[in-house]
Amino acid sequence: MFADTLLYNGQIVSMDPNQSQFSSILIKNGRIVGLGDQAESSPFIHPETKLIDLEGRTVLPGFIDAHQHMTYFGANLLNLECNHLSIADMVKAVEQRAAALDADEWIIGWGLNEALLEEKRLPEASDFAHIPNPVYIVRFCAHTAVINDKALAMAGVDNQTVEPRGGEIVRDSNGKATGVLKEKAMELVQQVIPSYSLEQIKQAILLADAYYIRQGITSVHEAGVGLYTNSLQEFRAFQELLLERRLNTRVYCMVLDTFFPELQAMQLTTGFGSERFKIGAVKMFADGTLTGGTAAIIGEYAEPLQGQGMLMHSDEEMEQKVLEAHKQGCQISIHAIGDRAIEQVISAYEKALSQHPRADSRHRIEHCKLSHPGITERMQRSGIIPVPQPAIYHQAGDVYNQILKPDILKDYCPLRSWLDAGLKPPGSSDCPIVSCSPLLGIYAAITRKTRSGETIVPEQSISLYEALQMYTSHGAYASFSEDELGTLELGKMADLVVLPKGFMDFSAEEIKNTEIEMTIINGKVCYEKKQGGPSDGNWSELGN
């Protein structure tokens, strides 16, 4: 047997249970067939074997992003970036886009973050009153949007419109809609925005795919197919790209619960598919976001926010939704950020597991930001997987320090406690909410530093090796893929990322600024850093 590819003269960190390291790795038919030193590999080399001299560089398993939104991110790259430092600059950008469009064409913006604006407030419809086009700008969290008067009129939203359950139409002191919609209220306008074509969705996915491989990402968990377009066209787009052999990254496809009846009708469940694309969990929502004040918390938000946030469902509704998907044999992933929402979700999981016992269900809680010791204990007891996004500490930590009282903030994303309890939290980004860079997430998990340099619950920091486990072996475990992915072992998929020499000894700051040298998926080099200059793919500050 001769190898297709040999990588040699490197530091190959396997991330296996024994923390084994090697200097060479042999690949055949997309799988790892040899690990050792160069001398041991020599008998398997053929004139047609591709030889890659690592020159001392570090090789790790390909990074797995366990919660991101490929279609949404790619679509954002097609739309108007609104990550500005003032409302005036944002309005100017919208004006420029409007000048290039007909008056009936929509302007879709993304990345708005009022914490960065000099006005320190959300824009409102009045700021865009002179724009002839309908305008819809989504806050970076994706749970709040700013809409101008023309878009509100087209959607039929006025001062008399009743708020949908689980949503808020923000109004001024006179009861007039300001143009700010939160959570389910955003759907009032989304339903009149023209749908993306299949080709546009495919283009968006390909843009995200190309971006991800430059970050060393080889597998993703798509956190709700249908979430962005509210249609199964997204599912069709992924299928066509796979058939056309145009998609690099492996996709573990969570299905939005809106489309769970379709899964039921076809009797499909978690795990159906191929090694490139599998049906994953059923994705649901329990609450909103912390920075938007809509995450359901047990305590009270600090000023300027008020209240305890909102639950999307009653306890009975959540229990019924979970039970139906659990009985089907599906893994379940539920967005729950506040501790009140997390407790509701855990109770629903516990009830389903009690009524219909199932070994190794690996139900997940996406985000799971406020996790007191009692929550950690219950997750450990029921085998629940918390799915955090460490880079959000960096982007939004300064805001959390303002809006969360100290007795609440102390429970923020307790990675150290989770690992000590035997949980396996996978690394993820929630891209495009924050940068997709795993290295930025690893930096944040190690340092717990915010953008201002403050730390957020520093006693919950973890080591570099533990952070790497989150983005490799724990990511594989969260998708039932640990026998194929997540470590470099004989017989496993040859998904690798090449990093600079000495990476395992880098400081946190060096890790944050590191560029990916090479990404290999299924044994094929799909990205290589340009020689003699910086990569065109280091986007580690996107969304910051």
Side-chain angles (χ1 to χ4, degrees), residues 496-514:
L496 324 171
V497 58
V498 179
L499 295 156
K501 183 178 180 179
F503 175 81
M504 298 301 291
D505 296 317
F506 279 12
S507 69
E509 290 296 328
E510 288 174 319
I511 290 168
K512 179 185 174 187
N513 297 315
T514 293

Side-chain angles (χ1 to χ4, degrees), residues 143-305:
H143 290 253
T144 297
V146 175
I147 298 93
N148 71 347
D149 288 331
K150 181 166 184 178
L152 289 172
M154 292 174 67
V157 177
D158 57 28
N159 299 340
Q160 283 71 49
T161 301
V162 177
E163 290 180 344
R165 182 176 179 181
E168 179 185 358
I169 301 172
V170 177
R171 306 177 193 273
D172 63 20
S173 57
N174 297 316
K176 184 179 186 298
T178 65
V180 177
L181 304 180
K182 295 185 177 184
E183 305 298 347
K184 289 290 186 180
M186 296 165 63
E187 296 176 5
L188 298 172
V189 176
Q190 289 171 349
Q191 63 189 1
V192 298
I193 298 175
S195 300
Y196 285 88
S197 69
L198 179 61
E199 287 305 314
Q200 286 174 320
I201 297 171
K202 289 168 67 175
Q203 182 184 4
I205 293 170
L206 288 175
L207 284 171
D209 181 60
Y211 201 115
Y212 286 173
I213 60 174
R214 295 196 295 266
Q215 304 298 328
I217 297 170
T218 58
S219 298
V220 296
H221 301 181
E222 179 68 2
V225 165
L227 179 63
Y228 187 68
T229 64
N230 196 33
S231 80
L232 287 175
Q233 281 277 76
E234 294 178 34
F235 195 83
R236 174 68 178 269
F238 276 110
Q239 291 183 81
E240 290 198 3
L241 290 172
L242 286 161
L243 291 171
E244 295 164 3
R245 300 182 181 276
R246 298 169 66 191
L247 194 63
N248 291 291
T249 49
R250 302 183 194 276
V251 180
Y252 185 69
C253 169
M254 301 184 215
V255 179
L256 198 63
D257 64 334
T258 303
F259 305 111
F260 178 60
E262 281 80 355
L263 283 186
Q264 284 182 306
M266 293 185 288
Q267 292 293 298
L268 295 179
T269 190
T270 300
F272 179 81
S274 69
E275 57 195 36
R276 301 308 296 258
F277 184 87
K278 289 182 181 179
I279 291 176
V282 176
K283 173 72 182 296
M284 306 177 187
F285 288 84
D287 67 349
T289 69
L290 288 173
T291 57
T294 54
I297 63 177
I298 294 172
E300 295 269 346
Y301 285 101
E303 295 291 342
L305 300 179

Side-chain angles (χ1 to χ4, degrees), residues 416 445-449 454-462:
R416 176 79 274 142
I446 294 169
T447 67
R448 308 280 295 200
K449 280 188 178 180
E454 295 293 320
T455 56
I456 181 166
V457 202
E459 61 270 24
Q460 292 293 344
S461 63
I462 61 176

Side-chain angles (χ1 to χ4, degrees), residues 72-91:
Y72 184 11
F73 177 46
N76 279 355
L77 297 177
L78 297 171
N79 291 324
L80 181 66
E81 182 181 351
C82 292
N83 186 25
H84 298 286
L85 300 180
S86 72
I87 292 176
D89 287 344
M90 191 180 308
V91 171

Side-chain angles (χ1 to χ4, degrees), residues 65-74 76-77 110 140 142 208 211-212 215 217 220-223 227 367 389 391-392 428-437 539 542-543:
D65 189 326
H67 182 116
Q68 54 69 62
H69 304 273
M70 231 176 159
T71 306
Y72 184 11
F73 177 46
N76 279 355
L77 297 177
W110 65 281
F140 79 92
Y211 201 115
Y212 286 173
Q215 304 298 328
I217 297 170
V220 296
H221 301 181
E222 179 68 2
L227 179 63
H367 312 297
Q389 296 77 43
I392 290 181
S428 67
S429 66
D430 204 15
C431 181
I433 309 308
V434 295
S435 165
C436 64
S437 167
W539 300 58
L542 174 73

Side-chain angles (χ1 to χ4, degrees), residues 20-192:
S20 307
Q21 294 193 20
F22 307 95
S23 64
S24 69
I25 181 169
L26 286 162
I27 299 169
K28 178 75 172 179
N29 295 329
R31 292 188 178 266
I32 298 168
V33 295
L35 289 158
D37 60 34
Q38 187 176 351
E40 294 172 325
S41 302
S42 298
F44 304 99
I45 298 174
H46 184 271
E48 295 183 4
T49 300
K50 181 180 179 68
L51 303 179
I52 299 176
D53 184 354
L54 294 167
E55 300 178 326
R57 291 177 292 179
T58 304
V59 176
L60 288 163
F63 293 135
I64 299 171
D65 189 326
H67 182 116
Q68 54 69 62
H69 304 273
M70 231 176 159
T71 306
Y72 184 11
F73 177 46
N76 279 355
L77 297 177
L78 297 171
N79 291 324
L80 181 66
E81 182 181 351
C82 292
N83 186 25
H84 298 286
L85 300 180
S86 72
I87 292 176
D89 287 344
M90 191 180 308
V91 171
K92 184 176 180 181
V94 173
E95 289 172 342
Q96 292 173 342
R97 178 61 64 94
L101 301 174
D102 294 332
D104 61 345
E105 292 185 86
W106 283 75
I107 297 173
I108 309 296
W110 65 281
L112 160 65
N113 185 352
E114 73 276 13
L116 302 182
L117 298 175
E118 62 183 41
E119 297 87 350
K120 299 302 179 187
R121 69 170 178 87
L122 283 170
E124 298 181 347
S126 58
D127 294 302
F128 305 98
H130 62 294
I131 304 293
N133 304 71
V135 176
Y136 181 87
I137 300 174
V138 182
R139 188 173 182 267
F140 79 92
C141 67
H143 290 253
T144 297
V146 175
I147 298 93
N148 71 347
D149 288 331
K150 181 166 184 178
L152 289 172
M154 292 174 67
V157 177
D158 57 28
N159 299 340
Q160 283 71 49
T161 301
V162 177
E163 290 180 344
R165 182 176 179 181
E168 179 185 358
I169 301 172
V170 177
R171 306 177 193 273
D172 63 20
S173 57
N174 297 316
K176 184 179 186 298
T178 65
V180 177
L181 304 180
K182 295 185 177 184
E183 305 298 347
K184 289 290 186 180
M186 296 165 63
E187 296 176 5
L188 298 172
V189 176
Q190 289 171 349
Q191 63 189 1
V192 298

